[in-house]
Amino acid sequence: MIAVSACLIGVNCRYNGGNSLREEVLREGRILIPFCPEQLGGLPTPREPAEIVDGDGRDVLEGRTLVRTIEGGRDLTENFLRGAREALYIMERLSIDEALLKEGSPSCGVRRIVRGGLDVEGMGVTAALFVERGISVRGIE
C-alpha cells in the first residue's frame, strides 16, 4: 500500500474544487490509499487558497510560523496541523511507510511550496510531519 494525495488520483479536493489527476499515479501497481490533509483538517472544498507565511512546514510544526489565507490572512494553522496529524494517524494505523504527495501544496509539497505566487524551496506541513516520523515521501508535479 502507498498513501497518495487524493487530488493526484482525480478527487476534486483541491482548494479550487478541482483535482491534479496524474495517470501515472493510477498505474503505480500498489493499493492506493487517498487522503487530503486539508479536508481532514476540517477545511471545505472549495476553500480560500493558503500559504505558509515564512519558512516551510517544518517551521509550522515547530510553531515558528503560520499558515494563512492569501486573501485576508485568516489563520488556518490549526487546520493544517490537525490535517497532518490525521493523515499520519491513517499512515500508522495501516502501517504505510510511503506517500506520493502533490508538489507545491502548503500541505503536501515535498521539495517546493508556493508563496506569493512564486515557487519556494521547502516542504508542506503534512510532508514535514511524515518525514519527521520516518515516512518516505515523493513529490509529484
Side-chain angles (χ1 to χ4, degrees), residues 45-78:
T45 301
R47 58 190 164 274
E48 291 181 72
E51 61 187 21
I52 298 170
V53 175
D54 293 304
D56 72 357
R58 292 172 287 226
D59 297 301
V60 175
L61 293 176
E62 295 294 322
R64 293 188 294 261
T65 193
L66 304 173
V67 181
R68 292 193 181 272
T69 59
I70 294 170
E71 299 289 325
R74 190 164 60 101
D75 186 354
L76 300 179
T77 306
E78 186 51 43

Side-chain angles (χ1 to χ4, degrees), residues 22-106:
R22 300 298 182 269
E23 293 290 337
E24 67 271 19
V25 173
L26 295 172
R27 294 188 297 271
E28 187 66 27
R30 292 188 265 180
I31 296 172
L32 303 174
I33 306 298
F35 69 97
C36 176
E38 293 173 27
Q39 287 181 335
L40 289 170
L43 296 174
T45 301
R47 58 190 164 274
E48 291 181 72
E51 61 187 21
I52 298 170
V53 175
D54 293 304
D56 72 357
R58 292 172 287 226
D59 297 301
V60 175
L61 293 176
E62 295 294 322
R64 293 188 294 261
T65 193
L66 304 173
V67 181
R68 292 193 181 272
T69 59
I70 294 170
E71 299 289 325
R74 190 164 60 101
D75 186 354
L76 300 179
T77 306
E78 186 51 43
N79 297 95
F80 275 71
L81 290 170
R82 184 180 328 126
R85 289 189 299 264
E86 290 296 321
L88 178 64
Y89 177 79
I90 292 168
M91 301 290 284
E92 291 174 341
R93 293 293 292 177
L94 297 177
S95 299
I96 300 170
D97 60 5
E98 185 178 359
L100 297 176
L101 304 175
K102 174 65 176 91
E103 204 61 80
S105 161

Side-chain angles (χ1 to χ4, degrees), residues 108-122:
C108 295
V110 173
R111 293 178 305 277
R112 69 173 183 84
I113 56 176
V114 176
R115 181 171 28 252
L118 302 172
D119 287 346
V120 176
E121 187 175 317

Side-chain angles (χ1 to χ4, degrees), residues 58 61-62 88 123 126-135:
R58 292 172 287 226
L61 293 176
E62 295 294 322
L88 178 64
M123 302 185 99
T126 299
L129 182 60
F130 284 3
V131 167
E132 182 180 282
R133 296 297 178 92
I135 294 167

